[in-house]
Amino acid sequence: MKLPTILRATAVATTLAFSAFTFAADVDHNANANDVAIQGYDTVSYFTPGAPVKGSSDFTATYKNAIYQFSSAENRDAFKQDPAKYAPQYGGFCAFGVTMNRKFDTDPLAFKIVDEKLYLNLNSQVQERWLTDVDGFINTAEQNWGGIKAKPDSVLAE
């Protein structure tokens, strides 16, 4: 290989490596390996009548370096206007898990809107438990979140 080719390849590799770090979802936000939040579900759709719907890579916005997908340009634009209004609580980690100082992944269909805020749970069985004392669990989670949000989920998912 010629020196200019090696230098160019090294520059590209370095840029890609740094961009991977730059675009990785914040540690307090739950996203998959591609930085997609809520497994691609349209977070605005949770606040409209009916069930939540999958978003599309055609309509995206970022929040805390996580990529949110939307089912329409209108939903994407509503999110961009006020992402904190639509983003799930606790960065999209399981609301019940946060009560136990843990960061668990979630099932996008195990959700509840409480006081205009979106809460997700690990699965329907965990959600059943969470629903037995929603207000109490939210109070506990609120107290716990400040202490765990900056910790990597790999440490807290045990």
Side-chain angles (χ1 to χ4, degrees):
M1 252 191 214
K2 294 181 180 178
L3 184 58
T5 304
I6 293 171
L7 292 175
R8 191 174 20 244
T10 302
V12 169
T14 302
T15 301
L16 289 174
F18 281 120
S19 67
F21 292 118
T22 302
F23 294 112
D26 292 358
V27 71
D28 68 340
H29 221 74
N30 187 15
N32 69 15
N34 294 318
D35 293 331
V36 174
I38 319 176
Q39 297 179 30
Y41 274 79
D42 177 343
T43 190
V44 174
S45 72
Y46 286 88
F47 295 89
T48 59
V53 297
K54 279 287 233 178
S56 164
S57 59
D58 293 336
F59 307 107
T60 64
T62 58
Y63 179 63
K64 296 195 172 195
N65 291 318
I67 301 165
Y68 283 85
Q69 296 181 336
F70 302 92
S71 58
S72 68
E74 293 79 19
N75 283 6
R76 179 203 55 215
D77 295 345
F79 181 82
K80 284 182 171 183
Q81 289 292 317
D82 191 0
K85 174 181 178 179
Y86 296 106
Q89 299 302 294
Y90 317 120
F93 290 101
C94 175
F96 187 73
V98 174
T99 68
M100 299 179 296
N101 287 305
R102 298 286 188 259
K103 287 182 172 178
F104 297 130
D105 199 7
T106 56
D107 175 350
L109 300 179
F111 76 97
K112 183 163 179 68
I113 304 289
V114 179
D115 296 329
E116 297 299 312
K117 294 179 181 180
L118 173 60
Y119 296 89
L120 300 170
N121 287 116
L122 176 68
N123 56 39
S124 59
Q125 292 81 21
V126 169
Q127 185 177 39
E128 284 179 30
R129 172 72 173 108
W130 188 74
L131 291 173
T132 64
D133 185 13
V134 173
D135 291 337
F137 289 133
I138 289 174
N139 286 334
T140 301
E142 288 295 316
Q143 292 171 14
N144 292 350
W145 184 238
I148 68 170
K149 71 180 178 180
K151 295 181 181 178
D153 56 321
S154 59
V155 173
L156 298 170
E158 299 169 351

